[in-house]
Amino acid sequence: MSSSEDRRRPVRAAAEHVPFVVIPDTPSVLVTVTDSAFREVAHAMGTIDTVLPAGIYRIEQRFGGAVESRFVEVGPEPFTERLPLPGMPTPTPVEGTPTTRGDHRAAAVRWSTRTTYGEGAPTLMVLIRNLRRGWQLDPYALEIAGPDGRPVDGGAGGWEPSGGEEWSAWSCELPPGGYRLRTRRMPADGLPLAQALHVLEGWTTLVFVSNGPQGPQPQFASVQMVRHGTGWTPADRAFDLSLEAALSGLRQGIDLVPTRHLLELVRSGNDNPFLGIVGAHALLLHPDPDLREIRGVLQNLVHLADGHPDIAALCTLIGEPVRPVVSPPMLAASCRLLVRADTADPGVLRDGSAAESVAAHLVGRGVWTTWLEQERLPEAGARGAAPRTGLDPAAPGDAAGAGRAKALDPVDRVQRYVREVAGVEGRSVDDVLSSMRPKDLCRRTGMPHRAVDRAIEELKGPQGE
């Protein structure tokens, strides 16, 4: 082959390919391009900028739990196309999503700066949104309670419903600390669940709850934090979408937002600490998470919102000392980090605190810290026990643990685990206890140290015998 032919080959090959650029509506979208033989030819989080030969291609977008695809034809001219956002419903009324509504955004803006109950600028706002017209919305279906379980929302009079069953808002200035979100009526299954909320000095916590065909769905809620008095703004669309995608990833156990993009958002000066909290947990989903990057995120979070239990939980991951945690964190992943830290260093969860008791009664229900409210369980009344208003389980001196729902009690769960190990291995309970350290029992059962200590004490005592 002559040298002149060699020089012509790359020119001819280049002419067979054309620039191919697709730009999604947000960098949090995973874009995959396949050719007519369904072979992947390009993929990226966000914009794809490559060269491809002429032909038919399928462009697939994945955002959160939504997947959309379309076929395009690429000819001899450069191909550029902007991709609309995939149709993922979001509890937050983010502009451009299929579930956004102008009146919903206006309600969020208004009630994040004004109170529906009490005076002053709100430190907590809950907005229930009807995502589809025609679904019945009970404007008083949810209730906000304090750390002792007593309602603080003023009942139906504390809520501001829309006239057409489109939304219902509650906002109030509450003292800093832990609170809980729950359904006002006892669920049909008789298991009263509560979901952790937290109010931090200088900040307003915003909770967006979607309403489905069966009523409000707090397990799929979205949470944001804004400076006290500033209110929510629909202008931060990129941040809102990234937070929604990251929360969706946590629900699925998949890193759906690129690390680079998350770090850019967290470091951009955006005053929303909860984006950083969720972002740090999303970074932990990576097969080999970079703890140095997470440490940098946490330094920014501690500066912004020191004292938040979710931030304390993340600090235990990198060995940072934390004050004993009193209120439960909002994310279940944070709660698991605190239980693990309490196993290694008893006292991370303050003994007798709401945080410790909640950790002992956790149930798996999405990404949020959710637990069974022992004081509202019908079993307690059925056994003739006095109703309890706090979070603590029955006192150690109660005869046979009176008032405890055995199948749900953390001490009983640890004891049943030990007895099952003894039965499977053909050993005595004492033998199992002597060969298993308390911290091992904590790790295997997921219980905080005090529940395990009580279980061991009872198993070794006359009752255990």
Side-chain angles (χ1 to χ4, degrees), residues 46-374:
T47 298
I48 286 181
D49 187 352
T50 185
V51 292
L52 293 175
I56 303 296
Y57 294 91
R58 185 181 72 168
I59 303 173
E60 181 185 84
Q61 292 187 90
R62 291 179 178 268
F63 175 71
V67 180
E68 287 188 0
S69 63
R70 59 191 303 187
F71 287 93
V72 298
E73 183 177 3
V74 176
E77 301 298 325
F79 179 89
T80 301
E81 188 155 336
R82 288 189 174 274
L83 305 175
L85 187 72
M88 186 181 83
T90 59
T92 308
V94 185
E95 187 176 0
T97 59
T99 51
T100 189
R101 292 282 302 278
D103 55 336
H104 293 188
R105 292 198 300 273
V109 171
R110 181 180 187 184
W111 298 116
S112 60
T113 56
R114 295 179 55 186
T115 58
T116 66
Y117 181 61
E119 302 293 336
T123 55
L124 177 64
M125 183 204 77
V126 179
L127 180 66
I128 311 172
R129 299 179 55 227
N130 217 349
L131 299 188
R132 181 178 297 178
R133 286 185 171 91
W135 284 346
Q136 184 177 0
L137 187 150
D138 179 356
Y140 316 114
L142 294 182
E143 181 177 70
I144 296 95
D148 60 357
R150 293 184 174 88
V152 298
D153 65 344
W159 289 77
E160 179 72 24
S162 69
E165 292 192 342
E166 294 298 331
W167 53 264
S168 182
W170 181 91
S171 56
C172 181
E173 185 176 27
L174 294 175
Y179 295 89
R180 60 181 79 175
L181 182 67
R182 65 193 183 199
T183 56
R184 194 175 302 276
R185 297 183 180 88
M186 183 68 69
D189 57 12
L191 297 179
L193 299 178
Q195 194 165 303
L197 301 175
H198 193 81
V199 171
L200 194 66
E201 182 74 35
W203 295 91
T204 300
T205 300
L206 311 174
V207 185
F208 298 91
V209 181
S210 59
N211 184 66
Q214 305 301 320
Q217 302 171 308
Q219 67 271 30
F220 300 124
S222 291
V223 172
Q224 297 192 20
M225 293 172 64
V226 296
R227 295 279 185 185
H228 186 222
T230 61
W232 182 75
T233 171
D236 293 333
R237 182 170 181 270
F239 295 102
D240 294 340
L241 289 173
S242 297
L243 180 54
E244 294 292 340
L247 280 172
S248 182
L250 290 182
R251 293 186 186 102
Q252 302 174 61
I254 305 171
D255 184 6
L256 294 179
V257 183
T259 299
R260 174 184 56 79
H261 182 54
L262 273 176
L263 292 174
E264 287 175 357
L265 291 172
V266 172
R267 294 168 178 167
S268 65
N270 177 54
D271 280 352
N272 184 349
F274 215 78
L275 174 62
I277 291 170
V278 173
H281 279 290
L283 293 174
L284 290 172
L285 293 175
H286 192 277
D288 186 23
D290 189 336
L291 293 183
R292 291 177 300 176
E293 296 283 13
I294 295 174
R295 184 184 297 274
V297 171
L298 289 179
Q299 288 174 345
N300 182 55
L301 288 175
V302 170
H303 175 72
L304 278 177
D306 188 25
H308 199 289
D310 285 271
I311 297 175
L314 288 164
C315 285
T316 66
L317 183 69
I318 59 174
E320 290 290 330
V322 298
R323 297 186 293 272
V325 176
V326 176
S327 300
M330 296 183 68
L331 285 168
S334 297
C335 200
R336 290 190 291 269
L337 287 177
L338 287 173
V339 171
R340 188 168 72 179
D342 187 71
T343 298
D345 182 17
V348 169
L349 292 169
R350 180 177 290 177
D351 289 349
S353 67
E356 182 195 54
S357 186
V358 164
H361 295 94
L362 278 180
V363 296
R365 193 178 185 235
V367 299
W368 305 109
T369 297
T370 307
W371 71 96
L372 282 163
E373 292 184 292
Q374 300 298 295

Side-chain angles (χ1 to χ4, degrees), residues 388-461:
R388 299 190 301 276
T389 58
L391 286 168
D392 287 335
D398 290 350
R404 293 198 310 222
K406 280 291 186 180
L408 305 171
D409 179 70
V411 173
D412 185 69
R413 286 162 63 184
V414 176
Q415 292 174 348
R416 282 189 288 114
Y417 175 81
V418 173
R419 292 190 177 105
E420 286 172 5
V421 171
V424 169
E425 298 183 358
R427 302 159 61 193
S428 68
V429 168
D430 285 341
D431 189 25
V432 171
L433 291 176
S434 64
S435 63
M436 191 179 297
R437 298 175 300 174
K439 64 171 54 180
D440 293 329
L441 266 177
C442 290
R443 178 175 52 82
R444 295 186 184 187
T445 61
M447 292 290 115
H449 82 277
R450 198 167 71 138
V452 169
D453 291 343
R454 284 182 53 201
I456 293 174
E457 182 181 352
E458 290 185 12
L459 284 171
K460 289 183 175 180

